[in-house]
Structures are given as structure tokens and as C-alpha cells.
Amino acid sequence: MGTTTPFQELQHAAQVRVLAGERVWLEDAALEQLRITARLPHIRAAVGLPDLHPGRGYPVGAAFFSVNHFYPALVGGDIGCGMGLWRTDLRAHAASASKLEKQLGNIDGPLPDALMADAQRQLDGIAVAQLPASREMLAASIGTIGGGNHFAELQVVDEVYDADADIDRKRVHLLVHSGSRGLGGAILREHVERFGHAGLTAGSGDARVYLAQHDAALDFACLNRIWIARRILQAIRAEADLLLDVSHNHVQEAEFGGECGFLHRKGATPSDQGVVMIPGSRGDFSYLVRPVAGRDEALFSLAHGAGRKWSRSDCMGRLAHKYRSDELRRTRFGSTVVCNDKELLYEEAPQAYKDVDSVVAALVDAGLVTLLARLRPILTYKKGGLAACC
DNA sequence: ATGTTC
């Protein structure tokens, strides 16, 4: 006589997979978040990537596939966050971190006037009318890195695994990790105020409005990375070619298990957009990898980085007695960390992140990627660079 | 994540 039938249970049963080898650090809290999120109505499949770690309500390093319905809250606030990689014309053997740091100065604020006019022109392509953000707000934030795990990093090639890889050992590379800044946050805030975490019905007017805003945030985030790179390149007097730009926070229409639906990526790098970069912490390598085509069991997704091992709030307590802040401004590679925010310096310490080798090895072992090259940081810009003198 | 926020 029970009112809950096994059929209901089956209806909501989603396939849950975790792709992590034995070497990968995995927290129970993250697995629990993955299982709970997979139980949301309309979710058909959930995948935890090896960088899986707890987030605010939903896990980071995960992908979710749903049908007839999608969840903006699952994408989170930093819609369009991702990685951009450039090959500069700077010669790797001649690169000096201290010189680059001085040339770079402070790149936290709005773009310098000389670049702003061009950036504003590009912002015309972003349909501001439908966004909870003014054109002035977008202009103020374009070309800025932001906080948290965002960074801009100058790297050199440490090792090449595939002779056919399009990678130049002789050149300095620039990796930019940033997103849509205040814009994505405003879109999510407005959405949650109206709909909470219930999500939206596919094809509804409200769904169309969100997706249009989401797409604008993706465009803005990509432009943001481009302008971060441009201001850096101008400062260090270099030219560069864009090698890749890939977002890891978004929702898109996709087909899985013979059904059309929505693929949410929350800190999950697409495996269907060509070569991607999987960075470790500021004190670890970044891996350039080629996704193996035609593998859908990981929901067309890969790890987006090493993934956190410690929560931000634990870092100061765990590290302050062991390392002074100036010791954290250098890494085991001898690379320089530009960060005048003490809290952030500890929160983003290499010790707070999983070992990127274990994360990438899990992807290789699962047959999801092949390695192309390994890059090593020489300078990581977080925030608070030296103000330009004279 | 955050033109954060206590």
C-alpha cells in the first residue's frame, strides 16, 4: 500500500560515474554533492572528473546531463569561465621573471585608455539590453583577471610528449584563466531571485531569456581573456598567437544515450573542442592534452585543472605556521607569484591543490586524453602587481 | 566566483 513505487525511484535514477584513479585525492563531501545533485529531477547522468571537489552546494569538476529541463544554478555564477592559451614571440631561454614582473606592473584595474576604445567597440557585439548589467559595468571589468582561482601565467615548455604537437619549445606561452566577472554573477543572482534552484523547462520563454544571457556571458568571458592577454602582451612588448580558448562553466544542448538534452559543465573542460590545457596549481605543471574522440562516458568532459584538496578557509591555519607569505611568492620551480593579497596567497598555495600529475594520469588511464606537452610557470599573476613607476 | 562582505 506504499505510495512510493519502485517505478518512481527508477524514473529518477541517474547514472553516476566518477573518473578518478586510485592516486587521486577525492573527498567524501564532493562525492556526496555529486550523488545529491544527480538526484535532481530530469538529470539522467552525472560524472565526477578527477579534479572533483566540493563547491557551494554543487560539486566542482563535474558534468551533468538532463532532459527537458536545465539548471542555471548548476553552472554557477562564473558563466563562461575558461582557459585561453597564447604562444608569444618571447624567447623562452631569455625570459626573466623579475624583468617581466616589472614590465607587467599592475594589471588589476580597468584597461588602459589606449586599449579601452578597441575593447569598447568589441563590447558592442554583446547585447546589453537583455543583460542585468550596464555597458559601463562591462567596460570596467573587461580585461581584468578577478580573484579566487583566476590567474594569468607566463610559462615555458618543460617537455614535449608528441612530436606532432603544435607547441614551440623556444617560446614563452601565456595561459589566462578567467571568466565573465560581475556579469555572470548578476545573471545567476537575478535568475535565482525569480526561480530559486528549481531550474527551467526547455523551450519556455524564461529558458530562452536565460540562455541568451548565458551566451552573452560566454562571449564576454572569452573577450575578457583576450583583453587580459592583450594588456599583458602590450606591457611585456610581445606579440602572440591564440592557440585555444575553452570554457569550463556552461550549459549547452547535447545528445547523450540517444536523447537530446542539456549538458551542464561545472569546472569541466570540453573533450569535443580540440586540444585543451589542464593547469595544475601555480607551483605545478600545466598539461596540454588531446582529447580522444568519440568517448561519451565522461559526458564529453575532462578535468579543468588539478582541483582543490583543501577548502579556502583551511589554508591559512594549515600553512601560516609553516611558511611566511614571502616564501609563498616563490614556487618549487623558482617561479614568481605576483599577489599582494595575503589571504589569497595562502588560499591558492600549491599545497591546497591536488597533484596535477595524478589528475592527468587518471584521464590518460581512462583513455580520455593523450599527452602533448607539459609547461612550467615562470611568473603567475594573481593580483596587486607593482604600480608603474615614473 | 564576487564593481564580494562580516
Side-chain angles (χ1 to χ4, degrees), chain A residues 41-42 66-72 191 195 197-211 253 261-262 264:
Chain A
H42 313 284
S66 63
V67 172
N68 298 324
H69 199 90
F70 65 91
Y71 296 94
H191 169 80
F195 303 99
H197 287 232
L200 297 168
T201 304
S204 65
D206 294 322
R208 273 193 292 276
V209 168
Y210 172 80
L211 290 173
E253 290 186 39
F262 295 87
H264 308 68

Side-chain angles (χ1 to χ4, degrees), chain A residues 318-324 327:
Chain A
R318 285 179 187 257
L319 294 171
H321 67 280
K322 234 174 149 182
Y323 303 100
R324 296 188 314 270
E327 292 176 292

Side-chain angles (χ1 to χ4, degrees), chain A residues 8 22 28 54 56 60 64 67 85 95 141 148 152 186 197 237 285 310 312 324 340 353 369 388:
Chain A
Q8 272 180 313
E22 282 174 13
D28 288 342
R56 290 212 160 168
V60 181
F64 302 91
V67 172
L85 178 66
S141 60
H197 287 232
R237 298 189 192 95
F285 297 108
W310 299 347
R312 293 188 175 278
R324 296 188 314 270
N340 69 354
Y353 279 85
V369 302

Side-chain angles (χ1 to χ4, degrees), chain A residues 291-361:
Chain A
V292 173
R295 307 285 306 271
D296 67 356
E297 68 269 44
L299 288 175
F300 318 101
S301 300
L302 306 167
H304 79 311
R308 293 197 74 85
K309 193 165 69 175
W310 299 347
S311 75
R312 293 188 175 278
S313 49
D314 286 348
C315 294
M316 192 59 90
R318 285 179 187 257
L319 294 171
H321 67 280
K322 234 174 149 182
Y323 303 100
R324 296 188 314 270
S325 58
D326 57 294
E327 292 176 292
L328 292 182
R329 290 191 177 89
R330 286 269 159 169
T331 72
R332 67 184 175 113
F333 295 133
S335 64
T336 300
V337 180
V338 178
C339 183
N340 69 354
D341 179 335
K342 198 175 169 188
E343 199 81 30
L344 186 61
L345 194 60
Y346 280 84
E347 285 176 4
E348 290 290 310
Q351 293 87 342
Y353 279 85
K354 302 188 197 189
D355 169 23
V356 73
D357 284 11
S358 70
V359 168
V360 169

